[in-house]
């Protein structure tokens, strides 16, 4: 069974480009444009081996979205790996992501 990835990015071009690269490597990818789309997937008990999230998105940033996903997973005893991507990192972004 291929590894399952949840890709969250509000930029259509970035999201589709990454999705294509990952799928071409044999991975199963669910790509969404926001945390508002991602959270219900996790709440429905979909399991992801890796969550890749843009940091800067409208409404909730990627770090906030990942924190919510982690909390949902903790209640079920699950865990995913997480990766952040961004084209606009500020000085605090690495510190907040690592936390």
């Amino acid at each position: 069974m291929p590894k399952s990835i949840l890709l969250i990015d509000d930029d259509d071009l970035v999201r589709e480009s990454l999705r294509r690269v990952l799928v071409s490597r044999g991975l199963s990818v669910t790509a969404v444009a926001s945390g508002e789309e991602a959270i219900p997937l996790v709440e429905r008990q979909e399991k992801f081996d890796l969550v890749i999230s843009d940091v800067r998105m409208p409404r909730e940033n990627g770090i906030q979205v990942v924190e919510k996903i982690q909390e949902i997973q903790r209640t079920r005893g699950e865990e995913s790996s997480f990766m952040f991507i961004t084209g606009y990192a500020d000085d605090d972004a690495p510190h907040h992501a690592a936390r």
Side-chain angles (χ1 to χ4, degrees):
M1 186 156 124
K3 296 289 184 183
S4 178
I5 296 175
L6 174 58
L7 173 61
I8 311 164
D9 197 308
D10 63 310
D11 185 299
D12 295 339
L13 182 60
V14 171
R15 187 176 61 251
E16 182 58 18
S17 297
L18 283 172
R19 188 195 67 75
R20 285 182 184 180
V21 168
L22 295 167
V23 167
S24 75
R25 303 288 193 271
L27 301 166
S28 171
V29 180
T30 301
V32 297
S34 68
E36 293 168 338
E37 293 178 62
I39 297 300
L41 296 173
V42 177
E43 288 175 334
R44 286 197 306 259
Q45 298 191 356
E46 289 196 39
K47 296 178 183 173
F48 298 98
D49 299 300
L50 174 65
V51 176
I52 302 173
S53 180
D54 185 9
V55 173
R56 289 184 61 174
M57 295 185 291
R59 293 175 291 282
E60 289 184 300
N61 69 48
I63 295 169
Q64 293 167 319
V65 172
V66 163
E67 288 172 343
K68 287 183 177 182
I69 291 171
Q70 288 176 318
E71 183 60 33
I72 294 165
Q73 289 178 333
R74 261 188 235 113
T75 64
R76 296 195 303 240
E78 297 173 2
E79 189 174 282
S80 294
S81 295
F82 296 91
M83 178 186 296
F84 292 103
I85 56 175
T86 187
Y88 305 98
D90 59 32
D91 292 339
D92 292 333
H95 170 45
H96 290 295
R99 186 173 43 90

